[in-house]
Amino acid sequence: MRVLSFDQSTRVSGWSLFENNQYVCSGVVDMSKSKLATTERSFEMARKLWKILNKYKPDYLIIEDTQQQNNVQTVITLARLQGMIIGYAEAHGTKVHILLPSAWRKVLGYSQGPKVKRAELKQQSIDYVKNKYKLDLPEDECESCCINDAAHKIYNFSDDDIWGEK
């Protein structure tokens, strides 16, 4: 069972591939230096993530849900990116699960809440991946690994159950 996860954004998106609940590989799509306007950059990010979907042909795609941002336009842009990814995956036979950041972090035992800053959450992901997989990866790549790992704890991915739900 192949499970691909994305920690998607319009600037840097992390991804990871697990097969039969084992880490296989991961990477980042870095568009942080792109001169494209936000909308065009999000379209280009979607195309790059589609290529990863095409390359690995997962049974499941796990993506992080869009969360509240200080800027409404950011939420709209991230929601559009999420929609492009979901639509493409579903059109190509990949089942999609969407996890709230707080949900996957809770499953992995993160310290979280209003007093825990974004940088602390990112560091917990880096530490988790270092401890569990003995890998030293960039934060977005670590987050995608953590999303994938949490999804395996939440869903019962099996060849018998195409939805991977308990």
Side-chain angles (χ1 to χ4, degrees), residues 20-111:
N20 300 321
N21 200 18
Q22 299 295 311
Y23 172 88
V24 175
C25 59
S26 57
V28 293
V29 177
D30 189 346
M31 295 189 61
S32 60
K33 292 179 173 48
S34 173
K35 303 272 190 238
L36 293 172
T38 304
T39 299
E40 289 76 24
R41 189 177 63 245
S42 66
F43 292 160
E44 184 60 25
M45 178 62 79
R47 284 189 286 274
K48 289 177 183 285
L49 295 175
W50 296 344
K51 286 181 182 179
I52 294 167
L53 277 162
N54 278 334
K55 179 177 181 178
Y56 294 110
K57 300 188 182 344
D59 299 293
Y60 300 97
L61 175 65
I62 314 301
I63 60 174
E64 186 176 58
D65 205 358
T66 303
Q67 56 189 342
Q68 183 179 359
Q69 306 284 326
N70 292 332
N71 182 322
V72 173
Q73 189 57 46
T74 300
V75 174
I76 292 168
T77 302
L78 290 173
R80 285 180 185 154
L81 176 60
Q82 185 182 61
M84 288 185 279
I85 295 166
I86 292 168
Y88 188 88
E90 286 286 339
H92 289 85
T94 301
K95 297 298 175 194
V96 178
H97 288 287
I98 304 166
L99 289 178
L100 285 168
S102 59
W104 68 259
R105 289 178 178 132
K106 180 179 180 181
V107 167
L108 298 185
Y110 279 42
S111 174

Side-chain angles (χ1 to χ4, degrees), residues 105-106 108-113 115-117 120-121 124:
R105 289 178 178 132
K106 180 179 180 181
L108 298 185
Y110 279 42
S111 174
Q112 53 182 341
K115 293 183 180 179
V116 180
K117 304 294 181 214
E120 294 172 71
L121 294 169
Q124 288 181 73

Side-chain angles (χ1 to χ4, degrees), residues 118-135:
R118 186 173 188 266
E120 294 172 71
L121 294 169
K122 296 281 187 183
Q123 188 60 52
Q124 288 181 73
S125 292
I126 292 167
D127 294 343
Y128 186 91
V129 170
K130 276 185 185 175
N131 291 331
K132 182 162 185 177
Y133 300 105
K134 310 299 184 231
L135 297 169

